Amino acid sequence: MRRLPVPIHHHWRNTTEVPVQRGFVAINARVAGKNYRIVNTHLEVREPQPGNPISQVFQAAQAFELIGVLRATTPIGKSLLVLGDFNSSPEDAGVPGPLPLPEPFDQGLVPPYQQLAAAGYTDGWTLRWHVRPGFTCCQAEDLLNENSQLYERIDLILSWPAPARVEDIRVVGTKHWDKTRPPAPRLWPSDHGAVAAELRF
């Protein structure tokens, strides 16, 4: 797993160094005569604090580096699938600059979802008509909440280039019958719903 460093802590004053251990894994695959690179990642949680909007900088920097690394290392002719918990939804707002950060973040912080969309990645969920909003996060930390309380869509299946079509895409693990069975406490399988899709390139 490659670590996505955020080499900007030394630009802040009166703070301590905090290591950020996130990364991605990737595999090259050949399916039905077509070449793919499949990447899975998990970006840092965005936790804006009152009076400190640049707390979003960690995940913005991780997305920026991830996009650059994949652009530089993905061979021509491979379809690229980027999956994971991005901790960023289509509704996330950026932080306008100027900010006391190194380039390019001094001009403002762009959330990961918006960065990936601007880099040409297609969000598979948007290619299908859905009655449900596709929320994937989050159940209670102890997984004991009775009813599902997912409220935001931050687990994504992105592709470059866009697939020719999306046969199916759905959130799974969010129904009562997905929970563990008695006599043990009935638990959700995860605090997130999982996104499953069938894409055609």
Side-chain angles (χ1 to χ4, degrees):
M1 176 177 285
R2 175 179 161 78
R3 180 180 178 184
L4 296 183
V6 185
I8 56 177
H9 53 265
H10 60 277
H11 291 271
W12 297 356
R13 296 179 179 177
N14 301 320
T15 61
T16 57
E17 181 175 332
V18 178
V20 178
Q21 301 285 347
R22 300 289 189 186
F24 67 86
V25 291
I27 185 172
N28 294 326
R30 186 172 178 83
V31 181
K34 294 184 178 180
N35 295 314
Y36 299 89
R37 171 164 288 184
I38 303 168
V39 177
N40 184 272
T41 191
H42 186 176
L43 302 188
E44 196 65 39
V45 176
R46 178 173 62 96
E47 296 181 341
Q49 303 168 7
N52 182 26
I54 62 172
S55 62
Q56 300 178 36
V57 70
F58 296 106
Q59 64 165 213
Q62 288 173 325
F64 182 80
E65 182 176 4
L66 178 65
I67 291 167
V69 169
L70 296 182
R71 182 185 296 122
T73 62
T74 301
I76 295 174
K78 275 185 168 45
S79 294
L80 184 59
L81 293 168
V82 184
L83 325 170
D85 177 357
F86 291 85
N87 278 307
S88 180
S89 80
E91 288 73 38
D92 285 350
V95 179
L99 298 172
L101 296 169
E103 296 180 356
F105 308 108
D106 57 332
Q107 301 303 309
L109 294 178
V110 180
Y113 187 96
Q114 305 302 336
Q115 287 191 50
L116 288 154
Y121 289 88
T122 297
D123 178 356
W125 190 266
T126 65
L127 299 183
R128 296 278 290 183
W129 184 83
H130 296 277
V131 174
R132 300 180 184 275
F135 294 153
T136 62
C137 181
C138 298
Q139 311 290 11
E141 289 187 4
D142 61 9
L143 307 179
L144 286 171
N145 49 296
E146 176 62 23
N147 296 313
S148 179
Q149 57 188 35
L150 306 179
Y151 65 93
E152 62 180 346
R153 188 167 70 86
I154 61 175
D155 300 273
L156 309 169
I157 296 177
L158 307 173
S159 66
W160 186 92
R165 63 184 183 275
V166 177
E167 300 286 357
D168 186 29
I169 186 167
R170 65 183 67 190
V171 180
V172 298
T174 64
K175 306 297 184 184
H176 275 277
W177 54 77
D178 295 319
K179 300 171 80 172
T180 55
R181 301 291 187 265
R186 298 207 64 191
L187 304 176
W188 294 100
S190 170
D191 62 333
H192 287 235
V195 184
E198 182 180 353
L199 310 179
R200 298 286 182 179
F201 288 88

